Amino acid sequence: MARPERIRLGDLLVQQGLITPGQLDLALAAQKSTGRKLGRVFIDNGWVNEGQIARALAGQLRVPFVDLGQRSIRPEVARLLPEVQARRLRALVIEENAGALRVAMADPTDMAAYDEVARLLKLSANRDFELVVVAEGQLIAAVERSYRNTEAIAGLARELTTELDSVENGLAGNLGELLGLGTASTEDAPVVRLLYSVFDEALRVRASDIHIEPQAGALRIRFRIDGVLHVQTEADARIAGAVALRLKLMSGLDISEKRLPQDGRFAVTLRGGALDVRISTMPTQHGESVVMRLLNPSNGLLSMESMGMPERVVKALRRSIARPHGMLLVTGPTGSGKTTTLYAALNALNSSERKIITVEDPVEYRLPGLNQVQVHDKIELGFDRVLRAALRQDPDVILVGEMRDQTTAEIGMRAALTGHLVLSTLHTNDALSTPLRLIDMGVPRYMVALSLQMVLAQRLVRTVCPHCAEPHAPDAQEAAWLASHLSAGQRLDNAQVRQGRGCNECSHTGYSGRTGVHEFIEMTPELVEAINHGDPAAFSAAGRRQMAGHTLGRAAAELVLAGRTTLTEAMRVSHLQGE
């Protein structure tokens, strides 16, 4: 392909009417004073966006403009251009055919970068290439996806296997050096480099958990992304012990104990920020299984409004926490965001006028101004004991991580009856079954009726990837389910049912991120009377009238109608609820 001509970007955008001459003069002055690229000045001022600049350049140069968000790029094709050069030159090989390669660039007028790309591809692939123009943000995201750490992690695992063999055979080094003990630079130890690569990749793909699982013939590493596990890599099973040992050292666990489960916590610094890691080990048939929950402090705590809760739910939640005493319970399965919701409520309550104590196992979020206590069953510092001590600390608000047993539940209920606002969680399927579950646990009926103020049940559903969403025609079963969850006046033929086709942006899953669905009951006099009289049928009937169809299944159906989640996800939530 012919070498592109040099173009003055500012003049081009003025010619195409995208900016005014006055804006160009202002941008040139800003560029001179700050050193920023001219295009970045235009974008930061909101005069144009990256797509408009890329399309303008493509039109002037008479080369194609490509939307990378809609393309699938094979990693082996992208790696025809080495990663370091791809990042430095802002270029990416996106397609290979018999005749030539297609190379995407955000700034095709950078002659030096163009010439360097041509030289490198001639050396590595002996191919000519066709230039296409892309938006800079899409290019950077595509480079991140294409040069994933999967191969690097696998390579580090193989290196660790080789080093371990050398140590075991007495050929070189020792186990201490392998684990990063007593060396001049801990970061150079093979197991440390492997683990930091795993953490870095998990952070990049938004993983919430890392599972390191020894199997019969391999060590499997999986990431949980948007609630679903994905295999990241498989390595030689012989390195499992070294990996588990290093993680125990990092979290201060007993490295000599391999027969009992252990829990701990540590922090690592990645990409300029800290990452809190909660670790759990468990002995299995083939070695110690390690699961790590990743908590990114830089994400901060969400407010109730920013969590995607409907206004009706937010208002009810605010009514509940505005009371000076009583109990708020958030229910749902593990991983449904219960603790996040409670901390959003605590964030709203947190002030210098209130004393807030949390009793947790473990402490998941760290919020300034709170008195947070970690329970330790090994030293008999359980929920009940900490809760009794907390009540002697003159608190206004108490958060109990979970109502695990009758004793903890009764202490929490008594605290709610004696002038304290108590927030906690319970594992139940829906809001209506929660008060009955407390009674089944042995809590007196009168205590449940008088102390409980509100029960909020929630689930997390995956949301459709906005980059590859497309219309979906429900089959007969899906249509029947959706029709059964429509409210009065809603029509199925007006629904915007969508699903993700799968693209680079969502790692070809069709989903990107999660949102919550909720239902709640407030303990009205009618519900209190039904509980006091021990009449579950009357309680359930009154509760259903109060909710008036605002169930988890209906909330999920509303997301389907809005095109935010899929029917598969909505029906899964409905199945868990038993609707």
Side-chain angles (χ1 to χ4, degrees):
M1 137 167 210
R3 191 169 184 260
E5 62 187 59
R6 184 174 294 277
I7 295 175
R8 292 172 63 91
L9 178 61
D11 292 339
L12 174 62
L13 297 181
V14 170
Q15 288 173 12
Q16 298 199 3
L18 295 173
I19 63 170
T20 66
Q23 289 172 331
L24 175 57
D25 292 339
L26 290 173
L28 289 170
Q31 180 193 36
K32 186 175 181 179
S33 63
T34 64
R36 288 181 297 167
K37 286 188 174 183
L38 191 61
R40 180 49 53 187
V41 176
F42 294 141
I43 293 168
D44 291 345
N45 281 310
W47 299 333
V48 293
N49 58 44
E50 291 181 344
Q52 289 173 312
I53 290 178
R55 284 185 171 87
L57 288 171
Q60 184 68 18
L61 294 172
R62 296 183 177 84
V63 298
F65 167 80
V66 172
D67 182 355
L68 285 184
Q70 303 298 321
R71 297 185 70 90
S72 178
I73 302 169
R74 299 195 340 256
E76 64 272 18
V77 172
R79 293 188 182 111
L80 291 173
L81 189 65
E83 179 181 359
V84 173
Q85 281 73 25
R87 295 182 184 277
R88 179 172 61 86
L89 301 171
R90 288 287 196 268
L92 180 68
V93 182
I94 64 171
E95 191 176 318
E96 178 185 30
N97 54 45
L101 304 172
R102 297 190 93 191
V103 175
M105 295 185 71
D107 183 7
T109 65
D110 186 338
M111 299 296 111
Y114 178 89
D115 291 341
E116 182 70 1
V117 169
R119 185 185 69 81
L120 289 168
L121 289 179
K122 200 70 176 174
L123 288 173
S124 65
N126 195 26
R127 300 270 196 93
D128 293 326
F129 70 91
E130 174 192 358
L131 179 67
V132 299
V133 184
V134 298
E136 184 176 19
Q138 286 192 345
L139 176 70
I140 293 171
V143 167
E144 289 290 338
R145 290 191 303 268
S146 299
Y147 296 96
R148 289 186 61 174
N149 288 335
T150 303
E151 290 190 5
I153 291 171
L156 288 168
R158 288 192 294 271
E159 180 183 339
L160 177 58
T161 302
T162 303
E163 296 270 356
L164 192 60
D165 286 341
S166 298
V167 170
E168 290 176 349
N169 294 327
L171 300 177
N174 58 61
L175 187 60
E177 292 177 353
L178 192 72
L179 296 173
L181 301 176
T183 60
S185 177
T186 300
E187 289 78 9
D188 291 336
V191 69
V192 175
R193 288 191 289 127
L194 170 62
L195 287 172
Y196 271 75
S197 293
V198 170
F199 288 134
D200 187 69
E201 179 66 5
L203 188 61
R204 193 191 68 77
V205 299
R206 302 177 295 105
S208 61
D209 302 83
I210 300 172
H211 292 238
I212 300 178
E213 304 161 319
Q215 306 292 308
L219 176 66
R220 184 172 64 180
I221 300 176
R222 295 193 289 175
F223 292 165
R224 188 177 294 279
I225 305 170
D226 292 336
V228 178
L229 283 169
H230 301 267
V231 175
Q232 169 63 23
T233 192
E234 290 192 349
D236 194 306
R238 290 175 293 172
I239 70 171
V243 171
L245 185 56
R246 178 63 207 182
L247 288 170
K248 283 184 173 182
L249 289 167
M250 293 171 70
S251 49
L253 301 181
D254 184 355
I255 63 173
S256 65
E257 180 57 77
K258 299 181 180 179
R259 301 165 301 168
L260 297 174
Q262 296 188 66
D263 298 304
R265 191 170 191 152
F266 61 92
V268 293
T269 301
L270 294 167
R271 301 182 178 224
L275 180 68
D276 284 338
V277 182
R278 201 178 81 199
I279 180 173
S280 169
T281 70
M282 183 178 69
T284 68
Q285 183 179 5
H286 302 292
E288 287 185 281
S289 171
V290 181
V291 175
M292 291 173 283
R293 169 66 55 87
L294 309 181
L295 304 169
N296 192 350
S298 64
N299 290 340
L301 284 172
L302 297 173
S303 66
M304 288 183 281
E305 289 79 6
S306 64
M307 292 175 63
M309 289 183 180
E311 184 179 358
R312 176 177 177 271
V313 177
V314 172
K315 286 182 177 179
L317 195 51
R318 287 198 175 276
R319 281 197 303 270
S320 179
I321 65 175
R323 297 186 177 102
H325 57 82
M327 176 174 284
L328 163 68
L329 282 177
V330 180
T331 74
T334 301
S336 60
K338 299 186 297 296
T339 303
T340 302
T341 296
L342 287 180
Y343 263 90
L346 286 185
N347 203 22
L349 289 167
N350 192 17
S351 69
S352 58
E353 292 82 23
R354 290 188 181 93
K355 177 155 187 172
I356 302 176
I357 299 177
T358 76
V359 186
E360 304 173 75
D361 182 22
V363 175
E364 291 197 24
Y365 296 96
R366 294 172 182 176
L367 187 60
L370 270 60
N371 300 275
Q372 297 176 274
V373 183
Q374 165 86 48
V375 303
H376 291 284
D377 289 328
K378 289 183 180 178
I379 58 172
E380 298 182 355
L381 190 66
F383 274 104
D384 54 347
R385 186 173 182 180
V386 177
L387 192 49
R388 287 191 182 96
L391 291 172
R392 294 193 290 270
Q393 292 282 309
D394 189 28
D396 298 294
V397 181
I398 303 173
L399 182 145
V400 184
E402 182 185 346
M403 292 295 173
R404 289 187 175 180
D405 51 47
Q406 178 185 350
T407 302
T408 304
E410 286 193 13
I411 296 171
M413 293 280 180
R414 287 196 180 95
L417 288 172
T418 55
H420 305 89
L421 180 61
V422 181
L423 286 65
S424 190
T425 70
L426 192 65
H427 289 97
T428 57
N429 288 330
D430 53 35
L432 276 177
S433 64
T434 301
L436 304 177
R437 168 67 181 136
L438 288 169
I439 295 172
D440 287 342
M441 290 171 63
V443 180
R445 286 200 306 270
Y446 79 90
M447 196 175 286
V448 175
L450 294 177
S451 63
L452 193 59
Q453 298 287 348
M454 176 182 174
V455 178
L456 174 67
Q458 68 179 55
R459 299 284 189 279
L460 291 177
V461 296
R462 291 183 291 174
T463 51
V464 177
C465 173
H467 301 281
C468 63
E470 59 186 17
H472 170 67
D475 61 26
Q477 181 183 2
E478 292 173 334
W481 180 89
L482 191 54
S484 69
H485 287 80
L486 294 179
S487 58
Q490 287 182 315
R491 290 166 53 97
L492 185 57
D493 53 8
N494 293 330
Q496 300 178 5
V497 181
R498 302 195 304 169
Q499 67 180 18
R501 182 181 63 257
C503 67
N504 291 326
E505 296 290 339
C506 60
S507 300
H508 302 280
T509 63
Y511 297 98
S512 179
R514 292 189 290 177
T515 192
V517 292
H518 308 83
E519 69 177 23
F520 68 88
I521 57 169
E522 295 177 282
M523 293 297 289
T524 61
E526 185 180 13
L527 292 178
V528 169
E529 183 179 358
I531 285 288
N532 275 327
H533 284 82
D535 190 344
F539 177 84
S540 297
R544 281 193 293 271
R545 286 194 297 272
Q546 183 192 125
M547 288 195 295
H550 292 285
T551 62
L552 291 171
R554 175 68 62 80
E558 294 285 350
L559 291 177
V560 172
L561 295 175
R564 295 188 59 200
T565 193
T566 64
L567 273 163
T568 301
E569 281 289 287
M571 292 172 72
R572 178 180 64 84
V573 168
S574 180
H575 173 72
L576 288 174
Q577 188 190 12
E579 286 190 3

Short mmCIF file of all heavy atoms in Angstrom, two decimals, residues 164-202:
data_model
loop_
_atom_site.label_atom_id
_atom_site.label_comp_id
_atom_site.label_asym_id
_atom_site.label_seq_id
_atom_site.Cartn_x
_atom_site.Cartn_y
_atom_site.Cartn_z
N LEU A 164 11.51 -25.79 39.50
CA LEU A 164 11.22 -26.74 40.58
C LEU A 164 11.94 -28.06 40.35
O LEU A 164 12.48 -28.66 41.29
CB LEU A 164 9.71 -26.96 40.67
CG LEU A 164 9.17 -27.69 41.89
CD1 LEU A 164 9.50 -26.93 43.17
CD2 LEU A 164 7.65 -27.87 41.78
N ASP A 165 11.96 -28.51 39.10
CA ASP A 165 12.69 -29.74 38.78
C ASP A 165 14.18 -29.58 39.11
O ASP A 165 14.81 -30.50 39.66
CB ASP A 165 12.53 -30.07 37.29
CG ASP A 165 11.14 -30.61 36.97
OD1 ASP A 165 10.46 -31.06 37.91
OD2 ASP A 165 10.76 -30.58 35.78
N SER A 166 14.74 -28.42 38.80
CA SER A 166 16.17 -28.18 39.06
C SER A 166 16.47 -28.21 40.56
O SER A 166 17.48 -28.77 40.99
CB SER A 166 16.59 -26.83 38.47
OG SER A 166 16.43 -26.83 37.07
N VAL A 167 15.55 -27.59 41.34
CA VAL A 167 15.75 -27.58 42.78
C VAL A 167 15.66 -29.00 43.35
O VAL A 167 16.49 -29.42 44.16
CB VAL A 167 14.70 -26.66 43.45
CG1 VAL A 167 14.73 -26.83 44.97
CG2 VAL A 167 14.97 -25.21 43.08
N GLU A 168 14.63 -29.74 42.90
CA GLU A 168 14.44 -31.11 43.43
C GLU A 168 15.59 -32.02 43.05
O GLU A 168 15.94 -32.92 43.81
CB GLU A 168 13.11 -31.67 42.90
CG GLU A 168 11.89 -30.99 43.50
CD GLU A 168 10.60 -31.49 42.89
OE1 GLU A 168 10.67 -32.20 41.86
OE2 GLU A 168 9.52 -31.18 43.43
N ASN A 169 16.20 -31.80 41.89
CA ASN A 169 17.31 -32.63 41.44
C ASN A 169 18.66 -32.12 41.92
O ASN A 169 19.70 -32.70 41.59
CB ASN A 169 17.32 -32.73 39.91
CG ASN A 169 16.09 -33.45 39.38
OD1 ASN A 169 15.58 -34.37 40.02
ND2 ASN A 169 15.62 -33.04 38.20
N GLY A 170 18.64 -31.02 42.69
CA GLY A 170 19.88 -30.48 43.23
C GLY A 170 20.77 -29.85 42.17
O GLY A 170 21.98 -29.68 42.40
N LEU A 171 20.21 -29.47 41.04
CA LEU A 171 21.03 -28.90 39.97
C LEU A 171 21.30 -27.42 40.17
O LEU A 171 22.35 -26.90 39.78
CB LEU A 171 20.35 -29.12 38.61
CG LEU A 171 20.10 -30.58 38.23
CD1 LEU A 171 19.35 -30.66 36.91
CD2 LEU A 171 21.45 -31.32 38.13
N ALA A 172 20.35 -26.68 40.74
CA ALA A 172 20.52 -25.23 40.91
C ALA A 172 19.51 -24.71 41.91
O ALA A 172 18.40 -25.23 42.03
CB ALA A 172 20.33 -24.51 39.57
N GLY A 173 19.92 -23.64 42.65
CA GLY A 173 19.00 -22.91 43.50
C GLY A 173 18.47 -23.71 44.68
O GLY A 173 18.92 -24.82 44.97
N ASN A 174 17.52 -23.11 45.37
CA ASN A 174 16.86 -23.78 46.49
C ASN A 174 15.41 -23.32 46.55
O ASN A 174 14.99 -22.40 45.84
CB ASN A 174 17.59 -23.48 47.81
CG ASN A 174 17.66 -21.99 48.09
OD1 ASN A 174 16.64 -21.32 48.22
ND2 ASN A 174 18.89 -21.45 48.16
N LEU A 175 14.64 -23.99 47.40
CA LEU A 175 13.21 -23.71 47.46
C LEU A 175 12.94 -22.28 47.93
O LEU A 175 11.99 -21.65 47.49
CB LEU A 175 12.53 -24.71 48.39
CG LEU A 175 11.01 -24.65 48.45
CD1 LEU A 175 10.41 -24.90 47.07
CD2 LEU A 175 10.46 -25.67 49.46
N GLY A 176 13.80 -21.77 48.82
CA GLY A 176 13.62 -20.40 49.31
C GLY A 176 13.69 -19.39 48.18
O GLY A 176 12.89 -18.46 48.10
N GLU A 177 14.66 -19.56 47.30
CA GLU A 177 14.79 -18.64 46.16
C GLU A 177 13.59 -18.79 45.23
O GLU A 177 13.09 -17.81 44.67
CB GLU A 177 16.08 -18.92 45.40
CG GLU A 177 17.35 -18.57 46.18
CD GLU A 177 18.60 -18.94 45.41
OE1 GLU A 177 18.46 -19.59 44.35
OE2 GLU A 177 19.70 -18.60 45.87
N LEU A 178 13.12 -20.01 45.07
CA LEU A 178 11.97 -20.27 44.20
C LEU A 178 10.73 -19.55 44.71
O LEU A 178 9.92 -19.04 43.92
CB LEU A 178 11.71 -21.78 44.13
CG LEU A 178 10.75 -22.28 43.06
CD1 LEU A 178 11.39 -22.18 41.70
CD2 LEU A 178 10.35 -23.72 43.35
N LEU A 179 10.59 -19.47 46.04
CA LEU A 179 9.42 -18.85 46.64
C LEU A 179 9.61 -17.38 46.93
O LEU A 179 8.71 -16.72 47.45
CB LEU A 179 9.06 -19.57 47.95
CG LEU A 179 8.63 -21.03 47.81
CD1 LEU A 179 8.49 -21.67 49.18
CD2 LEU A 179 7.33 -21.13 47.03
N GLY A 180 10.80 -16.85 46.62
CA GLY A 180 11.04 -15.42 46.86
C GLY A 180 11.43 -15.12 48.28
O GLY A 180 11.17 -14.03 48.79
N LEU A 181 12.10 -16.07 48.96
CA LEU A 181 12.54 -15.86 50.34
C LEU A 181 14.04 -15.65 50.37
O LEU A 181 14.80 -16.45 49.81
CB LEU A 181 12.18 -17.07 51.21
CG LEU A 181 10.68 -17.42 51.28
CD1 LEU A 181 10.51 -18.69 52.09
CD2 LEU A 181 9.91 -16.29 51.90
N GLY A 182 14.47 -14.58 51.01
CA GLY A 182 15.89 -14.35 51.19
C GLY A 182 16.61 -13.92 49.93
O GLY A 182 17.83 -13.93 49.90
N THR A 183 15.89 -13.57 48.88
CA THR A 183 16.54 -13.10 47.66
C THR A 183 16.60 -11.59 47.66
O THR A 183 15.86 -10.90 48.37
CB THR A 183 15.76 -13.57 46.42
OG1 THR A 183 14.44 -13.05 46.50
CG2 THR A 183 15.71 -15.08 46.35
N ALA A 184 17.50 -11.04 46.86
CA ALA A 184 17.65 -9.59 46.78
C ALA A 184 16.38 -8.95 46.24
O ALA A 184 15.99 -7.86 46.64
CB ALA A 184 18.85 -9.24 45.90
N SER A 185 15.72 -9.61 45.32
CA SER A 185 14.50 -9.07 44.73
C SER A 185 13.43 -10.17 44.72
O SER A 185 13.50 -11.10 43.93
CB SER A 185 14.76 -8.58 43.30
OG SER A 185 13.57 -8.12 42.71
N THR A 186 12.47 -10.04 45.64
CA THR A 186 11.40 -11.03 45.73
C THR A 186 10.63 -11.14 44.42
O THR A 186 10.20 -12.22 44.02
CB THR A 186 10.44 -10.65 46.87
OG1 THR A 186 11.18 -10.62 48.09
CG2 THR A 186 9.30 -11.64 46.98
N GLU A 187 10.47 -9.99 43.72
CA GLU A 187 9.68 -9.99 42.49
C GLU A 187 10.28 -10.86 41.40
O GLU A 187 9.58 -11.23 40.45
CB GLU A 187 9.54 -8.56 41.96
CG GLU A 187 8.64 -7.66 42.80
CD GLU A 187 9.34 -7.16 44.07
OE1 GLU A 187 10.57 -7.37 44.18
OE2 GLU A 187 8.66 -6.57 44.92
N ASP A 188 11.56 -11.20 41.50
CA ASP A 188 12.19 -12.02 40.47
C ASP A 188 11.94 -13.51 40.65
O ASP A 188 12.24 -14.31 39.76
CB ASP A 188 13.71 -11.76 40.45
CG ASP A 188 14.05 -10.37 39.94
OD1 ASP A 188 13.21 -9.81 39.20
OD2 ASP A 188 15.11 -9.84 40.30
N ALA A 189 11.43 -13.91 41.81
CA ALA A 189 11.18 -15.33 42.05
C ALA A 189 10.11 -15.84 41.08
O ALA A 189 9.11 -15.16 40.84
CB ALA A 189 10.72 -15.54 43.49
N PRO A 190 10.32 -17.02 40.49
CA PRO A 190 9.37 -17.52 39.47
C PRO A 190 7.93 -17.60 39.95
O PRO A 190 7.01 -17.21 39.23
CB PRO A 190 9.92 -18.92 39.15
CG PRO A 190 11.37 -18.84 39.49
CD PRO A 190 11.47 -17.92 40.66
N VAL A 191 7.70 -18.09 41.17
CA VAL A 191 6.32 -18.23 41.65
C VAL A 191 5.68 -16.86 41.87
O VAL A 191 4.48 -16.68 41.65
CB VAL A 191 6.27 -19.09 42.93
CG1 VAL A 191 6.90 -18.38 44.11
CG2 VAL A 191 4.83 -19.49 43.25
N VAL A 192 6.48 -15.88 42.28
CA VAL A 192 5.95 -14.52 42.50
C VAL A 192 5.56 -13.90 41.17
O VAL A 192 4.49 -13.29 41.04
CB VAL A 192 6.98 -13.65 43.24
CG1 VAL A 192 6.47 -12.21 43.35
CG2 VAL A 192 7.25 -14.21 44.62
N ARG A 193 6.40 -14.06 40.15
CA ARG A 193 6.07 -13.50 38.83
C ARG A 193 4.82 -14.16 38.25
O ARG A 193 3.98 -13.50 37.62
CB ARG A 193 7.26 -13.68 37.88
CG ARG A 193 8.42 -12.74 38.21
CD ARG A 193 9.47 -12.72 37.13
NE ARG A 193 10.22 -13.96 37.11
CZ ARG A 193 10.40 -14.71 36.03
NH1 ARG A 193 9.84 -14.37 34.89
NH2 ARG A 193 11.11 -15.82 36.10
N LEU A 194 4.68 -15.46 38.49
CA LEU A 194 3.48 -16.16 38.02
C LEU A 194 2.23 -15.60 38.69
O LEU A 194 1.24 -15.28 38.03
CB LEU A 194 3.61 -17.65 38.30
CG LEU A 194 2.35 -18.50 38.09
CD1 LEU A 194 1.90 -18.45 36.63
CD2 LEU A 194 2.58 -19.94 38.53
N LEU A 195 2.27 -15.46 40.01
CA LEU A 195 1.09 -15.01 40.74
C LEU A 195 0.73 -13.57 40.38
O LEU A 195 -0.45 -13.23 40.22
CB LEU A 195 1.32 -15.13 42.25
CG LEU A 195 1.29 -16.57 42.78
CD1 LEU A 195 1.71 -16.61 44.24
CD2 LEU A 195 -0.12 -17.16 42.62
N TYR A 196 1.73 -12.71 40.22
CA TYR A 196 1.42 -11.32 39.88
C TYR A 196 0.85 -11.22 38.47
O TYR A 196 0.00 -10.35 38.20
CB TYR A 196 2.66 -10.44 40.04
CG TYR A 196 2.79 -9.87 41.43
CD1 TYR A 196 3.20 -10.67 42.49
CD2 TYR A 196 2.47 -8.55 41.70
CE1 TYR A 196 3.30 -10.17 43.78
CE2 TYR A 196 2.57 -8.03 42.98
CZ TYR A 196 2.99 -8.84 44.02
OH TYR A 196 3.07 -8.35 45.29
N SER A 197 1.26 -12.09 37.58
CA SER A 197 0.66 -12.11 36.25
C SER A 197 -0.80 -12.55 36.32
O SER A 197 -1.66 -12.02 35.61
CB SER A 197 1.45 -13.05 35.33
OG SER A 197 2.74 -12.55 35.07
N VAL A 198 -1.07 -13.53 37.19
CA VAL A 198 -2.45 -13.99 37.37
C VAL A 198 -3.31 -12.87 37.95
O VAL A 198 -4.42 -12.60 37.47
CB VAL A 198 -2.49 -15.23 38.29
CG1 VAL A 198 -3.92 -15.58 38.69
CG2 VAL A 198 -1.84 -16.43 37.59
N PHE A 199 -2.81 -12.18 38.98
CA PHE A 199 -3.56 -11.07 39.57
C PHE A 199 -3.81 -9.96 38.55
O PHE A 199 -4.91 -9.39 38.48
CB PHE A 199 -2.82 -10.49 40.78
CG PHE A 199 -2.82 -11.38 41.99
CD1 PHE A 199 -1.65 -11.61 42.69
CD2 PHE A 199 -3.98 -12.00 42.41
CE1 PHE A 199 -1.64 -12.43 43.80
CE2 PHE A 199 -3.99 -12.82 43.53
CZ PHE A 199 -2.81 -13.04 44.22
N ASP A 200 -2.79 -9.63 37.77
CA ASP A 200 -2.92 -8.55 36.80
C ASP A 200 -3.97 -8.89 35.74
O ASP A 200 -4.80 -8.05 35.37
CB ASP A 200 -1.56 -8.30 36.13
CG ASP A 200 -1.60 -7.07 35.24
OD1 ASP A 200 -1.70 -5.96 35.76
OD2 ASP A 200 -1.52 -7.23 34.00
N GLU A 201 -3.97 -10.13 35.27
CA GLU A 201 -4.95 -10.53 34.26
C GLU A 201 -6.35 -10.58 34.85
O GLU A 201 -7.32 -10.17 34.21
CB GLU A 201 -4.57 -11.90 33.68
CG GLU A 201 -5.53 -12.44 32.64
CD GLU A 201 -5.56 -11.62 31.36
OE1 GLU A 201 -4.76 -10.67 31.24
OE2 GLU A 201 -6.39 -11.92 30.48
N ALA A 202 -6.47 -11.04 36.09
CA ALA A 202 -7.78 -11.07 36.75
C ALA A 202 -8.35 -9.67 36.89
O ALA A 202 -9.55 -9.44 36.68
CB ALA A 202 -7.66 -11.75 38.11
#
